[in-house]
Amino acid sequence: MLTTCDVKGIYVPVITPFCPNEEIDWGSYENYINTLTAQDIQGLVINGTTGESPTVLWSEVEQLIQRTKSALNHRRVPIVVGAGTNSTASTVKQIEMAGQSGADAVLVVTPYYSLPSEAGIIEHFRRAAGVGVPLILYEIPSRTGMALSVDTIRRLMDLNGVIGLKDSTGSSKLISSLPRQDMKPVLCGDDLHFIDMLREGASGGMLASANLYTEALLNVFQLVQNGELPKAQTAFNLLTPYIQQLFQESNPAPLKFLLAQQDIIASDTLRLPMGPISQKLQLELEQVYVNNVSF
């Protein structure tokens, strides 16, 4: 099980590779996990948006956890599982099942779409954290339809069982408003704001772009840890246009296209309603690898 001390460094939200018939491609998945864990990442995140969680059945999530553990072959790489919904009862149930399947922690998003009161949200997370599986809060207003106040975030962070926050608010405003002392760790969830949030005290990031630019993002993180901020900024500036390309169209379609181009997965198939990237973006992304871009 994860503790607050473990919520640092680079966590990679994993994709779910599919065969052309939309069944999970387990051969590609094992190859993909082995490729990621050849780097010194601090954790893997299963069943997030990057993994197409809305279209993945919970029985498949359980298989993904077990297949990940098998691919790791006793290597110590923590597994965080997305388990949040906009129903408290189903969130609690999924957290219980994630824990039973061997998750080291769960990632629980602010309840989306139904726009509950902040009092309701606090009770939602109190019950979720009470299950006993370490919980990372996930604040992403662009997808939930509401932004929590700083006071509510602080109250949620104080709950027993909550070990940190993934901040995908789109800027460093939230983290800069939180006290640096006696505050649980915050991971950046917006790839383009990674360096800014590290400057404000973030302990690392859960970054979709780390699927491709793993070593480069690890380097940026380490430079900041070493106090070499100008070097970190320069290194991140080189990455920025390539990260921007990954989010020109909905994640994880561009990621899957590039992973397939590199033969890390066999197909860039997505499950509807997600679909392949446009031909225009395909041509742009192909140029990245035709030119052997490296960092």
Side-chain angles (χ1 to χ4, degrees):
M1 294 289 188
L2 291 190
T3 68
T4 53
C5 296
D6 301 310
V7 183
K8 61 183 179 181
I10 303 295
Y11 280 71
V12 184
V14 302
I15 58 107
T16 306
F18 299 121
C19 300
N21 65 0
E22 297 189 12
E23 294 297 316
I24 296 178
D25 180 352
W26 295 114
S28 285
Y29 188 69
E30 181 176 356
N31 182 57
Y32 162 67
I33 293 297
N34 286 332
T35 301
L36 284 178
T37 54
Q39 303 286 346
D40 190 25
I41 60 172
Q42 278 64 59
L44 298 167
V45 185
I46 293 171
N47 199 44
T49 309
T50 301
E52 297 175 69
S53 55
T55 62
V56 174
L57 302 174
W58 191 262
S59 60
E60 293 175 320
V61 174
E62 293 174 328
Q63 290 181 73
L64 285 163
I65 297 169
Q66 295 310 312
R67 296 275 188 151
T68 304
K69 287 181 171 290
S70 177
L72 291 174
N73 193 24
H74 305 297
R75 286 172 288 170
R76 179 59 186 150
V77 179
I79 297 172
V80 178
V81 176
T85 74
N86 57 352
S87 159
T88 303
S90 66
T91 296
V92 165
K93 182 63 177 175
Q94 289 191 173
I95 293 171
E96 290 172 345
M97 292 189 294
Q100 290 163 4
S101 296
D104 295 293
V106 289
L107 182 67
V108 178
V109 70
T110 305
Y112 44 85
Y113 190 74
S114 50
L115 302 179
S117 67
E118 296 209 353
I121 288 169
I122 291 169
E123 182 61 16
H124 171 87
F125 278 106
R126 187 187 68 78
R127 295 191 187 188
V131 173
V133 181
L135 187 151
I136 299 172
L137 306 171
Y138 183 15
E139 171 69 338
I140 180 166
S142 63
R143 293 196 183 243
T144 62
M146 64 184 300
L148 300 182
S149 68
V150 173
D151 180 63
T152 296
I153 293 285
R154 292 177 67 173
R155 292 173 68 184
L156 293 176
M157 292 280 268
D158 285 339
L159 291 172
N160 290 331
V162 171
I163 61 170
L165 166 70
K166 178 182 179 182
D167 178 353
S168 295
T169 53
S171 77
S172 57
K173 183 178 179 181
L174 172 59
I175 190 172
S176 66
S177 301
L178 296 172
R180 291 207 181 188
Q181 289 189 332
D182 302 320
M183 178 55 65
K184 291 171 183 173
V186 177
L187 294 173
C188 172
D190 274 304
D191 301 49
L192 288 169
H193 295 284
F194 183 47
I195 190 78
D196 295 332
M197 290 186 66
L198 289 176
R199 288 178 184 274
E200 293 291 342
S203 60
M206 279 186 182
L207 307 172
S209 58
N211 276 280
L212 290 167
Y213 307 124
T214 322
E215 186 175 359
L217 288 164
L218 284 165
N219 180 54
V220 170
F221 174 73
Q222 195 57 58
L223 287 169
V224 174
Q225 294 297 104
N226 295 342
E228 300 180 80
L229 291 176
K231 285 185 178 180
Q233 186 68 64
T234 298
F236 191 73
N237 289 346
L238 290 173
L239 272 172
T240 299
Y242 301 102
I243 293 174
Q244 289 172 327
Q245 279 187 320
L246 290 178
F247 296 98
Q248 284 187 39
E249 297 182 17
S250 295
N251 180 53
L255 272 181
K256 281 192 158 182
F257 175 79
L258 287 172
L259 290 168
Q261 288 286 300
Q262 296 176 71
D263 294 322
I264 294 172
I265 61 175
S267 169
D268 63 352
T269 300
L270 299 103
R271 285 180 176 170
L272 287 169
M274 297 296 291
I277 60 174
S278 65
Q279 187 173 20
K280 177 178 179 292
L281 184 56
Q282 283 185 31
L283 292 172
E284 289 180 22
L285 293 176
E286 282 171 353
Q287 288 304 307
V288 174
Y289 287 93
V290 167
N291 295 327
N292 294 313
V293 171
S294 60
F295 304 94

